[in-house]
Amino acid sequence: MRPTAVGTPVDRADARSKVTGTACYTVDVVLPDLAHAVVVQSTVPTGRIVRIDAAAAERAPGVLGVLSHANTPSLAEVPTFPQGPAGQRRPPLQDDTVNFDGEHLAVVVADTLHHAAQAAALIDVAYDREEAVTTLEAGDELPPSGIFGEAPDSVRGDPEAALARAEVRLDATYTTPTEHHHPLEPGATVAAWDGGRLTLYDSTQWVSGVRDAVAMTLGMATDQVRVVSPFVGGAFGSKAMVWPHVVLAALAARHVGRPVKLVLSRAQMFTSLGYRSPTVQRLSLGARQDGTLTAIVHAVTQQTSVFEEFVAGAGYISRSLYACPNVAVRHRLVRVNAPTPTVMRAPGEAVGSFALESALDELAAQSGVDPVALRLRNFAEDEPQEGLAWSSNALRECYQVGAERFGWERRTTEPRSMREGRHLVGWGMASATYGVHSEAAAARVRICADGRILVTSGTQDLGTGTYTTMVQVAADALGVPVERVTAALGDTDLPPAPHSGGSQTAASVGPAVWSAALDACSKVLALAEQGDSYAEILTRHGIEFVEGRGDARPGASASRFAMRSFGAHFAEVQVDPELGEVRLTRFCGVFGAGRILNPKTARSQMIGGIVGGTGMALTERTVTDRRLGRVVSPNLSGYAVPTHADIPWIDVCFIDEHDPHVNALGVKGIGEVAIVGVAAAIANAVHHATGRRIRDLPITPQTLL
Ligand code: MOS
């Protein structure tokens, strides 16, 4: 590839439309005769519905219809990820059972949102309440049946014997709370029927997943459903799978014979799109006196709902991040009267790394080895679990470059030894890693006689920069400036592409766009004499446009190499010794993630991940009332995400990494590696500042004082 556009900080293709407000998100969609749906949710964690009285709601002004289990047709189950695209297998409004507080029980449709909300408040539900398990600690542990096709438990070597023999031993339990994604745009669907055909505008990470799930649920042919999602106001995993409100919008529209918009409220976001399960992680480390790891045992307990299983493999990071001959990983689940959890940015690694990277810091302190030196000492030359060679691994450079940029050598070893005025200052660091993923994807590139070039693919841009990077890839493949190229995405009428999760979009769709562009180019050149532009050639032949098609799929290298991205995080905190307030004052993240298509949008992604990790460390926690099994303060003051005032300038750096094995573009993906290890780096900095080891997130003034 001639690197002209790729690798340069091209401005976002969709920047102007977003800044000026012309970008149409799902919540902005307006159709003629549009009606509005409001969801009514359960207020008990478990039991039976004795009665749903909708009479008052049905008589209320503007009401067009009410759906509940009493009048909802039978719906088919859709398997959950990765067997199918559903976030929750159990379809909504099918019977009188309630499995968690906040479960959808009814939908009210009215001519205006105000009327729908007013009527929804009039729905009267009587329950026969049963005994609920409302916390992870209160239930029985059971082994999951599998974790995305992997065994939940694994052992290499003899960890117990190695622990018994270890010169340095550490045994600690780390806990993380329920976390919610809280994208700015809530879950939202607009459904419009045209005879037997259904069009859905949906805020989603997976247009074709929505199409397939809704078609399956309603017993329709896939080609009778079209899903459109040109802009998504954030997702972080909450829109990676298809949740019940999407099909409710379709049912509501059919019920009232009008297009319907259904937007979840912020409070409903706590129970409608999954969440990150809380974890209890026991970590045992064995090491030689010099810090060389000899044993890791990582045992994780997470929760799932009472009616189905979801588990993210929080312990897996301990198998592959460091060289260690004896490693055991174990996952257990507890069934709780709560919604089914789901993926959330770096599912598994984000929380697993908090335990592992905190424990490494504890080991560094115990063995008197600098935290960076300790990690370099345990660097894995090959992937330790499978024994495969890395396709590329820039972790050592990440440590070195990060330490240099941050000034790590000026760190004094002792806790409480650095101060700024009356504040305690702490420096901490952690490693990051995330797998390289890709799936089959298709794209088309059209070269027009007027010189314009159009890229199309049924992928989606979550705000990550897909519109921009796909334009860059096509521009370079064709040797034209980016200004000539536009992209259309987020529509199931376009060539199929996978879900935008697992940091896989650039690595999956990029190679498809590249090959579609080359295909289009060769079609023009077949007509050509030397030296003319595409437009001149097409015009001379009287051809309006040519179209190239590209299909890309994961290559055979995936079985020969271990493919991961890596990074290193360095954090500085200042702690107020009287108030216990922790402020992040400096942060540096360095990443080896293959080719960076656009350093501007990529930097923005990494900042987002680091901000997410800062929330994990310091503010984010969903609190559930044990007795009621209900989220306490379901709003953005009850659940605090970091704001601008909480975040310092963040130094982001990418190692120039050329990986010939991952895919044709050398792209590894960046969305998720950014958050992995951030919470540990901050917790380690808090320890350095205060001497207090906090093993329970988030680190609040209450925990520190
Ligand atoms: Mo991402 S949590 O894989 O949508």
Side-chain angles (χ1 to χ4, degrees), residues 205 236-237 240 343-347 434 499-503 672:
Q205 294 172 244
F236 315 115
V343 294
M344 182 165 163
R345 205 167 193 169
Y434 192 75
H499 80 284
S500 288
S503 304
E672 290 170 293

Side-chain angles (χ1 to χ4, degrees), residues 437-516:
H437 301 290
S438 66
E439 284 180 71
R444 279 195 294 264
V445 171
R446 179 181 287 199
I447 305 177
C448 302
D450 64 5
R452 287 180 307 121
I453 288 148
L454 178 64
V455 180
T456 53
S457 175
T459 181
Q460 40 283 309
D461 188 332
L462 317 182
T464 51
T466 311
Y467 278 109
T468 316
T469 51
M470 294 306 108
V471 161
Q472 291 174 270
V473 169
D476 277 7
L478 296 172
V480 301
V482 287
E483 291 73 26
R484 293 255 295 281
V485 188
T486 52
L489 312 173
D491 188 332
T492 50
D493 279 354
L494 301 175
H499 80 284
S500 288
S503 304
Q504 68 174 0
T505 300
S508 304
V509 184
V513 170
W514 177 253
S515 87

Side-chain angles (χ1 to χ4, degrees), residues 286-350:
R288 292 207 284 269
Q289 193 53 58
D290 68 356
T292 306
L293 286 166
T294 55
I296 307 175
V297 178
H298 194 161
V300 186
T301 305
Q302 286 155 281
Q303 78 181 38
T304 190
S305 61
V306 292
F307 53 95
E308 55 197 32
E309 193 179 297
F310 173 88
V311 53
Y316 290 149
I317 189 171
S318 290
R319 303 196 303 202
S320 52
L321 184 50
Y322 298 112
C324 180
N326 308 295
V327 177
V329 167
R330 198 184 91 128
H331 293 93
R332 290 293 178 270
L333 279 178
V334 174
R335 292 196 180 277
V336 174
N337 288 105
T340 308
T342 194
V343 294
M344 182 165 163
R345 205 167 193 169
E349 281 90 344

Side-chain angles (χ1 to χ4, degrees), residues 292-593:
T292 306
L293 286 166
T294 55
I296 307 175
V297 178
H298 194 161
V300 186
T301 305
Q302 286 155 281
Q303 78 181 38
T304 190
S305 61
V306 292
F307 53 95
E308 55 197 32
E309 193 179 297
F310 173 88
V311 53
Y316 290 149
I317 189 171
S318 290
R319 303 196 303 202
S320 52
L321 184 50
Y322 298 112
C324 180
N326 308 295
V327 177
V329 167
R330 198 184 91 128
H331 293 93
R332 290 293 178 270
L333 279 178
V334 174
R335 292 196 180 277
V336 174
N337 288 105
T340 308
T342 194
V343 294
M344 182 165 163
R345 205 167 193 169
E349 281 90 344
V351 278
S353 65
F354 170 63
L356 179 63
E357 290 299 288
S358 294
L360 260 282
D361 202 66
E362 299 199 43
L363 176 63
Q366 269 190 44
S367 52
V369 180
D370 172 82
V372 175
L374 181 82
R375 286 167 175 84
L376 284 166
R377 183 154 301 157
N378 290 293
F379 177 78
E381 297 286 348
D382 295 311
E383 200 286 319
Q385 184 71 13
E386 304 296 335
L388 295 172
W390 299 112
S391 63
S392 62
N393 180 337
L395 183 55
R396 273 192 289 231
E397 291 89 328
C398 293
Y399 295 136
Q400 278 145 9
V401 171
E404 212 163 284
R405 290 170 84 104
F406 191 79
W408 184 256
E409 62 177 21
R410 296 195 305 277
R411 179 182 185 262
T412 55
T413 307
E414 279 307 303
R416 303 180 73 89
S417 59
M418 292 170 79
R419 278 176 187 270
E420 174 80 39
R422 63 185 197 87
H423 289 99
L424 300 164
V425 174
W427 291 6
M429 61 82 56
S431 308
T433 182
Y434 192 75
V436 174
H437 301 290
S438 66
E439 284 180 71
R444 279 195 294 264
V445 171
R446 179 181 287 199
I447 305 177
C448 302
D450 64 5
R452 287 180 307 121
I453 288 148
L454 178 64
V455 180
T456 53
S457 175
T459 181
Q460 40 283 309
D461 188 332
L462 317 182
T464 51
T466 311
Y467 278 109
T468 316
T469 51
M470 294 306 108
V471 161
Q472 291 174 270
V473 169
D476 277 7
L478 296 172
V480 301
V482 287
E483 291 73 26
R484 293 255 295 281
V485 188
T486 52
L489 312 173
D491 188 332
T492 50
D493 279 354
L494 301 175
H499 80 284
S500 288
S503 304
Q504 68 174 0
T505 300
S508 304
V509 184
V513 170
W514 177 253
S515 87
L518 294 183
D519 186 40
C521 179
S522 69
K523 283 178 177 163
V524 181
L525 295 184
L527 307 165
E529 297 86 55
Q530 277 295 313
D532 285 344
S533 71
Y534 299 120
E536 284 162 346
I537 297 164
L538 292 175
T539 305
R540 193 165 55 240
H541 286 81
I543 297 172
E544 201 186 331
F545 63 84
V546 297
E547 197 158 70
R549 165 129 193 160
D551 287 282
R553 55 193 62 254
S557 311
S559 55
R560 290 190 290 125
F561 294 97
M563 299 175 178
R564 298 190 75 84
S565 50
F566 293 94
H569 295 293
F570 294 82
E572 178 187 273
V573 297
Q574 290 192 9
V575 182
D576 185 314
E578 278 134 57
L579 301 177
E581 184 201 36
V582 179
R583 292 203 69 85
L584 185 66
T585 47
R586 265 188 333 126
F587 201 97
C588 172
V590 182
F591 306 94

